[in-house]
Amino acid sequence: MRIERHQIEHTANIAASAETVWQAVTQVDIAAFRHPAYLALLGIPKPLRAELLRTGVGGVRIAYFANKRRFAQTITAWQPPAHYAFTFKADPGFRVAYCLDLADGPFRMVAGAYQLGPAVRGTRLVLSSQYELRGALGACLRVPVRLVLHLFQTYLLQGIQTNAERGAHGHA
């Protein structure tokens, strides 16, 4: 079976310190994010919360979703407040777009990373995601998957930006 590996990346400039952004990324208050209607229509379940069970390389964060499924994220890089990376392992039966099983289907999330650095006013946050497309069906999904990941990454970065900037102004 043919497996294609792809990467997508988006950036946000956040008016907050790297330490505040790091907290907003690693201790994410995802319940505060507004789940856009377009993601629901596309069959993307609403993230409910993410629990950091253990920090550092080899640590784990679990993301819980409204479809009663989870993503386990095993931490592969932990360099506060600059770099956080992880692999993904979806629960069996974790479906997106109503029919694509992320644990055993033609589209699978592989890894993600957040890179923090200085910006003109605050912190530059880069989110990258690696994913696989498998077989003929995966090849057919290249454009729609990239579009949905673009929408989802934008949604995540906007939520993190809102939380970090709220935290920065709340502590000013």
Side-chain angles (χ1 to χ4, degrees):
M1 173 187 307
R2 183 170 172 212
I3 299 174
E4 297 176 4
R5 188 167 278 200
H6 299 273
Q7 181 165 315
I8 187 167
E9 182 176 287
H10 287 86
T11 301
N13 290 315
I14 302 174
S17 69
E19 291 76 13
T20 299
V21 175
W22 178 263
Q23 284 297 110
V25 167
T26 60
Q27 303 290 329
V28 64
D29 179 11
I30 207 154
F33 295 14
R34 184 188 62 77
H35 192 65
Y38 60 82
L39 289 179
L41 288 171
L42 291 169
I44 310 303
K46 179 179 179 7
L48 300 176
R49 70 185 188 284
E51 296 177 4
L52 188 57
L53 304 179
R54 194 171 67 248
T55 62
V57 173
V60 176
R61 180 165 78 171
I62 306 290
Y64 296 87
F65 292 80
N67 63 354
K68 299 187 182 352
R69 297 289 191 258
R70 305 172 306 166
F71 262 121
Q73 301 172 344
T74 301
I75 299 168
T76 57
W78 183 269
Q79 299 164 335
H83 185 67
Y84 169 58
F86 47 89
T87 60
F88 283 105
K89 184 175 185 333
D91 278 352
F94 191 122
R95 297 195 189 292
V96 294
Y98 306 103
C99 62
L100 297 175
D101 187 335
L102 291 182
D104 191 29
F107 161 61
R108 299 181 194 180
M109 295 300 299
V110 176
Y114 291 94
Q115 188 75 41
L116 291 77
V120 174
R121 295 181 61 208
T123 303
R124 179 177 180 198
L125 177 63
V126 179
L127 168 58
S128 62
S129 300
Q130 293 178 13
Y131 60 98
E132 290 179 348
L133 299 173
R134 296 168 171 255
L137 182 55
C140 293
L141 293 171
R142 187 176 298 127
V143 171
V145 162
R146 191 155 188 88
L147 173 62
V148 171
L149 286 175
H150 166 79
L151 294 170
F152 196 78
Q153 279 195 346
T154 301
Y155 154 75
L156 283 177
L157 287 175
Q158 286 174 342
I160 290 167
Q161 180 174 8
T162 298
N163 289 350
E165 289 178 351
R166 184 181 304 128
H169 298 305
H171 295 97

